Structure formats: C-alpha cells, structure tokens
Amino acid sequence: MTDPPESPSARRRTVLRSLAVGGSVATGGCIRRLRASAGWQSASPVSLGIKTLPADADPYALRVARAVADWYRGAGIDATVTPMATEELYRQVLLDNDFDLFVARTPERFRDPDELYALLHSRFAAEPGWQNPFGYTNLDVDDLLAEQRSARVSIRRETLETVQREIARTQPFSVVAFPDEIRAARADRYVGWHRVDFGSAPEYLSLEAAPSAGSDRTVTTDGSDDDRLRIVVTDRRLTENLNPLAVEFRRDGSLVDLVYDPLGYETAAGSVQPWLADSWEFTDDGPRPRARVSLRPGLTWHDGEPLTAADVAFTYRLLADVTLGRRSGDRESDRTVTTDSDAPIPAPRFRGRNSLVADARPVDERTVTIQFADCSPRVGVRALTVPVFPEHVWADRTDPSGVGGLAFDSATEALVTNNVPPVGSGPFAFERNVPGERLVLERFDDHFLADLDPDGALASLASRPPFERIVLDVVGSGETAVSVVANDEADVTGTPVGAETIPRIGRASDLDLFVDRSLAAYVVGYNTRRPPLTNPRFRHALARLVDQETVVTDVFDGYARPAVSPLDGTAWVPEDLQWDQGNPVTPFLGSGGTVDTGAARAAFRDVGYEYDDGTLVERN
C-alpha cells in the first residue's frame, strides 16, 4: 500500500529532526537551501540599481555613483551602476520613472525656496519631468509647501525650516554636494567675464569687446567680420533640440533662454526685473492676487509677427494643458484621435511656476491680466519668468503625437517636436545647426534691449551685444573644451568642466579661471514608488552610507561643499541643518571613506532588515 503524502509541516519537522540528530553543520549558503527545502519564509537579497551619466557627459556624476555603490556594497547591499546618455537617463528617470536610484545634478538653482513645491509636492508625483521625479508623498510636506506660498515672510521662514527638517528626516533624495562651477575664458576678444552669471544665458549680453580686439579681427569665408562669441560645450543636446518644453533636452541656463524671452528676468540675486514686460502692478485680493502686466511697445517675433498680450495669455494656457483642451470631436483633424481621459496634459517643464497661475487674459494688445492661485505677490512673480511662446506657431502643435500612425494620449507635438528652426523673440535668433556638432545664433537687431534706458534696472544688458553671432561647438570632454579655448578656437567653456582641468587652465597665460559657487546640487534620488525605497527609514539608512566629505575630497578635489538641505547657499537654511564638522542628520556610518560594517548592519536591522551571510535581505 502506498504511504499517504507527507504534509508540508511534517516535511519541515523531518528536515529539522535530521539536522538535530545528525549534528549537521551548515554554511550560510547551505542554510539558505535548507530553509527553502524546509518551507521557511524565503529571504530576498536587497538589490539596487543606480543610473547616472557617463564621464563624457558629466565630470562627476559617474564617480559619485560608483563611490555610493561601493559604500552600499560595504553594507551588504547588491548595488550596480549603469551610465547612460543624458537624454536617455532623463527619459527613463523623469518621463518613465524607470529607476531605483539616480545620481545627477538638480536642474534648478534654488534661488527661491518655492522651487521645492514642484520638486516634492505629491500633486506632481504621477507627472513626468523634474517635478517630484521621486514619487514622494508626504501630506504634511504638501500642506507646508502650500502654506509657504501665501504666508507672511516670518511665517514663511518657519514653515520652510520645518519642510527642510522633514525632507532631511525622510530623504526623498540625499544631497551629496554642491560643486563649484569651473570655467575657462579668454579676455583678448571680450571682457567682463567676471560679471557673468554663467548659469543665466542672458548674462552673456553684459560682455564688452576687448579694447584690442578690433585690430585682431579676422574675416570669415563669407567676407564678414568675425564678430562671434565662440562657446564650447560638452553637451550636444542644444544642437539637436531647441524645444523649451523638452524635459530630456533642457536644463536651466541654456542658450535657448537667448531665443525665448520671459515677461520677467530673474537676476543672480534672485529678484525679478521686467523684461518683455514694461511694468506690472499687483493687486492684493486676499490669498489670490492679480497682476496687470504691460508689455513694451513694438515687440516682434523673429519672423516679423507682432508679439502681443494674446501670446502671453496663450503661453499660460499652453503650459497648463499642451492640448489646449482639444480632444476627439473637438475639431476636424486629418487623423483619428482616441483618448481615455479628458484630463489636461500640463507641460512637464515650468510646472511649478505655472501652477501659480489660475488664469491669464489679454485686455488689449499690450496688456494682460494674470489671476494667481493662492500665493503672495513675492512668490507669484516667479510665474512671470517662464518663456513666452508665439501662438501662431505653437497653436498647431496641440494634437497628440504619433509614431507609425498610433496616437499617444500623454504627449502632444508641443512636447516632442525638436522645434528647429525655433521662432522666439529673444535677443538672438536661430541661424543654423549641425546636430551633434554646432549651433549658430544670430543677433536679433529689432530686440528691445537696444532701446533701453542705459541707466535703468537692466543697464548692464541695455546695449547692443558686441557680437553678431553666437557659435556653440560640441567636444567630447571638459579637458578637450579647455584645450579648444587655450588654442583660441573658442572664447569660453560654456558648460562647467571638472576640477582636473584647473592645472591646465592655470598654466595657460591666455586663460582666466572662473570658479563660482553653485546652487544646483548633486543628489542621490530615490524612487519612493518601489520597495524597499518606499520606506523612509530605509532611505534614511541609505543616506548614512554616503561619506560626503570623502566625495568632496576624492571626486571633486575639494571644489565642492557638502550640505544637508537643497537650499544650502541661500538664507533659508535653519541653523540645525547647517553643515558643521559633519552631517547633523545622516552622519556617515563609518570614517575616512570606509563603512563601519557593524554600525551599518545595526542601522538596517533597526529598520527591520536582516543579514544572511553578510548580505542584506528582506523577508518575502
């Protein structure tokens, strides 16, 4: 007769009995196999992938990511690093949310703390772009971020200090360091480099022709004087895509800002001065202020069409919904459009600033009224710094984009077009490009800057730029960029170069070295949608595996500053979050760049994890 099948519990008892009676001694690997055969709850090793940029796209990101991965492995975490092209990294991280962790620089320079609203508010967690790419959800932080928008100055400061403490505790991302931005420039053709805020493209307009440059001017092949500002960069994206809304191709401070004008220009000090606007006046209607904005007279687009208040109102509608409310059945189209939702599709870029605007309406050709959401005028004015788009060009880019005849509901032509050639109103217009190699912009002589009051608020920029063209060339590395400038083939390195280039710059008698403090940090970003990164205590423990002082020394060669808050470098950081001989919130679990294995294991056990043969595991 066949014996009845043994029950699972009986099998477990049999295995355990044999271990006890036989006096077997098992290693860690054997234990795992025996646990599996005995039906014990299985354990999965914790594995984390870190995505970042390659060395030719960023001088530091890959080295930071590798250092972080080494520290993770020192704590028993299986960590891998995957470098990828810039647009692919941003596509996977910012558009598809396909990542565990990433190492990159934040695109925004946090001059105003309201930048945190878009970066962390949960209303943006499901949207693409740099607004909340972490999927961070914290209702307390949401309330505080909303409150600071309309609070009085003293209350706003207290509120933002609480926000920063909560961010430091829950770690949706970990600040690594704020790098110094290193550039090389020549002073034999243009002077005034010391006045330039390189993170703001319009600042290039403050340059002046060097006194001796006229005698050294060469003649180009077309017979014209060589009145060019020559910029060399390591990022080829600007030569391929000139769409201000393209998330994976844009970051702040690019030359696109010279093609498109905003209503207001944000200065290096953080104030907003009228730009396309001649003036504006805020009416404080309680928590929802209103602004009446007057445009400068005689504004035109690069194609000769007039720029009016209707274009301004159109811009805010476009940023709020790149379909402009157009759905199947709304109007005739040459293709069939199907959608699953009538919800608007906001532009991923400028989301935080445009969320300050509830409505914008033209009054006449030169006047527009802007109704704001709940905010104070001092915060609402940030909405005036978005680029203004020509309605006669962009109104036809609101249909869903399609590939192979298939339409996609989440993107329109406005988001996917490379926008070459662009039509803007800025001081420089598109002339030509060679994708991946070169971009040439030509001076727009009908720009309003030429007629500004030389004693006005924009006095440093209120003149005709001393160069007729801006020529941007792409090279493969920061060291090559410095060599190109040293060889008089370019005037300035437009993108920051690594600290390893400083000796080369210092040895070149024709080069000036510029080292500026940055307000954009390198961060380790966590995808809080994915376990175990959903657990803030786990993320907090991970943050303690990053030795920021070692990174500053070994990766940045000392040309960076460690920090706790993303607002470091501004006046908004509370004293208890200031860096003082170490990180006061997530001190490194070790010393001298070496992880203390015992301390790391204790920290992760406190979070609820276990170790199996030196490997961090979680129970399934």
Side-chain angles (χ1 to χ4, degrees), residues 549-572:
E549 292 181 327
T550 294
V551 169
V552 167
T553 300
D554 293 352
V555 174
F556 296 97
D557 294 330
Y559 288 91
R561 66 185 190 276
V564 180
S565 168
L567 298 182
D568 190 79
T570 73
W572 296 94

Side-chain angles (χ1 to χ4, degrees), residues 125-138:
E127 295 185 12
W130 264 109
Q131 59 278 352
N132 202 350
F134 324 104
Y136 180 64
T137 301
N138 185 317

Side-chain angles (χ1 to χ4, degrees), residues 103-354:
V103 171
R105 286 187 73 183
T106 59
E108 300 285 0
R109 302 194 302 165
F110 289 95
R111 291 192 177 110
D112 191 286
D114 189 59
E115 300 287 0
L116 294 177
Y117 185 92
L119 191 68
L120 292 170
H121 198 288
S122 65
R123 67 179 290 192
F124 304 121
E127 295 185 12
W130 264 109
Q131 59 278 352
N132 202 350
F134 324 104
Y136 180 64
T137 301
N138 185 317
L139 297 182
D140 290 336
V141 169
D142 285 354
D143 290 343
L144 293 167
L145 288 172
E147 179 184 334
Q148 62 85 26
R149 285 190 150 188
S150 56
R152 299 192 311 273
V153 174
S154 59
I155 301 300
R156 188 185 188 208
R157 180 174 297 280
E158 294 176 5
T159 302
L160 286 164
E161 289 180 353
T162 303
V163 168
Q164 293 174 76
R165 293 185 184 102
E166 184 66 7
I167 293 171
R169 185 184 70 83
T170 58
Q171 294 287 311
F173 58 88
S174 297
V175 175
V176 178
F178 286 78
D180 291 338
E181 295 194 340
I182 300 166
R183 288 179 174 84
R186 305 181 63 88
D188 52 351
R189 300 178 73 244
Y190 301 103
V191 296
W193 294 107
H194 64 282
R195 295 193 299 264
V196 173
D197 172 13
F198 292 98
S200 176
E203 293 282 323
Y204 283 108
L205 305 180
S206 66
L207 295 172
E208 300 173 6
S212 60
S215 60
D216 297 333
R217 187 165 292 160
T218 60
V219 177
T220 61
T221 55
D222 62 4
S224 61
D225 285 341
D226 188 15
D227 289 338
R228 300 177 298 165
L229 175 64
R230 304 166 301 170
I231 303 175
V232 61
V233 299
T234 57
D235 188 345
R236 60 182 173 81
R237 291 176 296 161
L238 191 59
T239 66
E240 301 170 339
N241 183 296
L242 291 163
N243 182 353
L245 302 181
V247 172
E248 66 271 36
F249 285 87
R250 290 285 84 76
R251 66 172 294 142
D252 279 9
S254 76
L255 291 184
V256 174
D257 295 340
L258 289 175
V259 177
Y260 287 91
D261 282 325
L263 290 173
Y265 164 67
E266 187 176 17
T267 69
S271 64
V272 178
Q273 300 289 342
W275 188 259
L276 279 181
D278 187 43
S279 64
W280 53 67
E281 182 180 355
F282 276 83
T283 301
D284 194 352
D285 295 335
R288 295 167 60 87
R290 183 188 301 269
R292 184 180 178 91
V293 180
S294 298
L295 299 179
R296 299 182 189 276
L299 297 175
T300 63
W301 297 103
H302 294 155
D303 61 2
E305 292 291 322
L307 190 162
T308 70
D311 292 302
V312 175
F314 166 82
T315 294
Y316 289 109
R317 294 199 312 272
L318 179 71
L319 294 178
D321 181 7
V322 291
T323 74
L324 294 179
R326 294 174 178 177
R327 287 292 188 266
S328 179
D330 287 353
R331 63 188 177 96
E332 292 183 0
S333 177
D334 58 0
R335 64 185 170 199
T336 300
V337 180
T338 59
T339 66
D340 296 327
S341 172
D342 291 332
I345 302 174
R349 291 201 74 225
F350 313 111
R351 186 73 170 98
R353 280 174 273 179
N354 199 58

